Amino acid sequence: MNIRSLRFRITAWSISFLALALGVFSIAVYLGVQQFLTLSMQRNLRNMSSNVETVFLSEYGKRGEKWAVGEINEAFSGGDDRYVRILHNGREIFRSDDMHNPPVIIDTIPLPNSGFTGITRMPQISGGILQFTDQYEAPDGRHFTVITGASQATMQRVLRSLAWVLVAICPIVLLFAAVAEFLLIRGPLRPVLMLTQRTEHIGRDHLGERLPVPETGDELQRLAIALNRMIERLEDALAHNHRFSADASHELRTPLTIIRGELEQAIQEPGLSSTVVDAIGSALEEIDRMSQIVQSLMATAYLDSGGEQMERKPIDIGHLTGSTIEQMRLLAEERNITLITEQLEPLIVEADPTRLKQVIVNLVDNAMKYNQPGGMVTVSTCAQGNNALLRIADNGIGIPAASIPCIFDRFYRADKARTRATGGIGIGLAIVKAICNAHQAEIRVHSIEGQGSVFEVSLPLCE
Ligand code: ADP
């Protein structure tokens, strides 16, 4: 499980809020029940007190103490979890039996101050005691202090059970909610995953494609529309860039040809000093180099502007590779390189023969250029699944690992000092890559510095 994923974080946040809400809810329920139970106890104590007063003590004067105490004893003998005490002129005329649920000796409960009326809480006595004291004046003017009390132990037990239930239920609810939310949130997040995958697919070479816009009317729809607009702007910018390179290189061709012509004419002039001849010769070399760059720029700009302009037809890549290698043998001999064709399976692919030949030439030329005298270059074609695989391996100088991701960039040379002597300008592989892209072909390179390189081009086979 990825704890940095949106799915995990949304679940974690909502479960934290749910935990907070459940915590507040549980405390509110606990305090509410506690308050309710305390108030109903107080109400019961008041009712008991007023019963004693209106039913029995009001008759005290007429029927005497014996009658009153006997009646009260019958009604409130106590012994369970409540008690009644009655004081008359400072003398206790009635006291219920000691409580036994929980056991409390009534005598140990302190009497209220004289004249006090109201509720007293005694939490220190065996689970807590709640006591109500009332001053009663009978119709005949006699004064009584009526004390009714009850143990809070039962109430505390109920509250403790409630607390346990709440504490046990909350984690179960949270766990259930977390699992359910983690599973359910996959649905709403699916369009985000789909957009991510499609956006990853739309690279430099698929800018013509657009993301599907979910008709949900929500943030995702807006995101897809915004991304599509961004891709459109990128496509425009890139097209502008391609047009600029194509136009600039085209415009540079004529002045370069003129300069070259004029320099070639100037060098023929008699009586030129050797310094001037050297300077013109060096300028001509640089002009050659510039022409090469301009030509390569035109070629890549043409390829970038769209492979659809290429001629596509079924060709046998094995045969094309064989014939191209034969044409390059002389060059290999000049460079003292052994050029071997290992296995040339006849495989039909749909491609532009001129462009595909350029791929073979550029890769084989590099394999010979970045090699040592007596080195070896091996070329083969074979089928691999639904693809034709062109493989060019050499045992030359290899490419430093840090340079491998950059070698297909324009004007990149792995080691400028090392490659200067070969005269490369760093555009050959960029052209190869552009041709491969236009053919939906994949190009891979494996290389170890000092040991050699392998370039593989994988082209879809014709069905
Ligand atoms: P260049 O015109 O410099 O040959 P490329 O685009 O063809 O330009 O190649 C880019 C760089 O990749 C080269 O400068 C070279 O450093 C490296 N490279 C390409 N092919 C090979 C190879 N077969 N062996 C070693 N290095 C290579």
Side-chain angles (χ1 to χ4, degrees), residues 101-356:
N101 185 25
V104 179
I105 300 165
I106 304 296
D107 219 10
T108 58
I109 301 172
L111 286 169
N113 296 333
S114 85
F116 172 78
T117 304
I119 294 285
T120 316
R121 280 188 184 83
M122 288 168 276
Q124 72 284 2
I125 300 174
S126 181
I129 297 280
L130 197 66
Q131 182 175 276
F132 175 63
T133 310
D134 194 28
Q135 307 298 335
Y136 174 66
E137 182 140 356
D140 57 2
R142 285 170 207 270
H143 181 264
F144 298 92
T145 301
V146 180
I147 300 163
T148 49
S151 162
Q152 286 184 299
T154 313
M155 181 183 119
Q156 298 298 359
R157 264 201 305 278
V158 170
L159 288 174
R160 253 197 312 278
S161 306
L162 176 67
W164 273 115
V165 168
L166 291 173
V167 166
I169 278 182
C170 285
I172 295 171
V173 170
L174 285 177
L175 189 73
F176 181 76
V179 172
E181 184 166 352
F182 193 70
L183 295 177
L184 290 177
I185 205 147
R186 207 174 9 188
L189 282 183
R190 197 164 291 138
V192 178
L193 292 179
M194 202 240 316
L195 278 182
T196 314
Q197 278 165 3
R198 293 296 298 267
T199 314
E200 264 171 13
H201 173 73
I202 301 180
R204 187 180 189 278
D205 310 314
H206 298 91
L207 278 178
E209 287 183 27
R210 292 292 178 270
L211 297 171
V213 179
E215 295 294 329
T216 44
D218 60 3
E219 291 84 350
L220 284 179
Q221 184 177 3
R222 288 213 299 279
L223 175 69
I225 293 172
L227 283 172
N228 276 342
R229 287 200 189 124
M230 191 187 78
I231 297 167
E232 210 170 297
R233 286 196 295 274
L234 276 176
E235 196 182 15
D236 282 352
L238 218 63
H240 181 266
N241 205 5
H242 292 156
R243 270 199 306 279
F244 175 78
S245 316
D247 293 350
S249 41
H250 189 264
E251 291 304 313
L252 279 171
R253 247 179 6 159
T254 319
L256 278 176
T257 317
I258 295 169
I259 297 171
R260 162 184 267 282
E262 285 183 352
L263 285 176
E264 276 171 353
Q265 211 175 1
I267 207 168
Q268 307 294 338
E269 289 292 320
L272 290 178
S273 70
S274 63
T275 332
V276 175
V277 171
D278 284 353
I280 297 176
S282 155
L284 275 169
E285 265 174 35
E286 290 307 313
I287 294 286
D288 272 350
R289 210 169 140 69
M290 271 183 79
S291 305
Q292 228 183 346
I293 295 175
V294 166
Q295 238 164 21
S296 303
L297 264 179
M298 272 183 70
T300 49
Y302 164 73
L303 287 168
D304 285 342
S305 65
E308 67 277 358
Q309 297 161 12
M310 275 191 281
E311 177 202 1
R312 292 276 197 105
K313 58 180 185 188
I315 50 164
D316 178 352
I317 188 173
H319 181 263
L320 181 73
T321 309
S323 60
T324 311
I325 296 300
E326 285 318 311
Q327 288 166 1
M328 295 183 83
R329 279 210 189 281
L330 203 63
L331 191 64
E333 268 167 38
E334 268 173 27
R335 289 174 172 172
N336 191 16
I337 299 286
T338 315
L339 189 53
I340 303 172
T341 45
E342 225 173 30
Q343 165 201 19
L344 295 176
E345 247 185 78
L347 300 163
I348 307 299
V349 295
E350 195 162 301
D352 180 326
T354 321
R355 300 286 165 202
L356 197 54

Side-chain angles (χ1 to χ4, degrees), residues 426-446:
I427 201 105
L429 287 182
I431 292 177
V432 168
K433 178 87 177 146
I435 297 175
C436 285
N437 286 342
H439 284 85
Q440 285 82 45
E442 196 190 333
I443 179 157
R444 296 182 289 265
V445 55
H446 313 278

Side-chain angles (χ1 to χ4, degrees), residues 366 369-370 394 398-399 407 412-414 419 424-426 428-429 453:
N366 276 352
K369 260 195 311 189
Y370 304 110
D394 66 70
I399 308 166
I407 54 171
Y412 181 85
R413 284 177 294 154
T419 57
I425 53 166
L429 287 182
S453 314

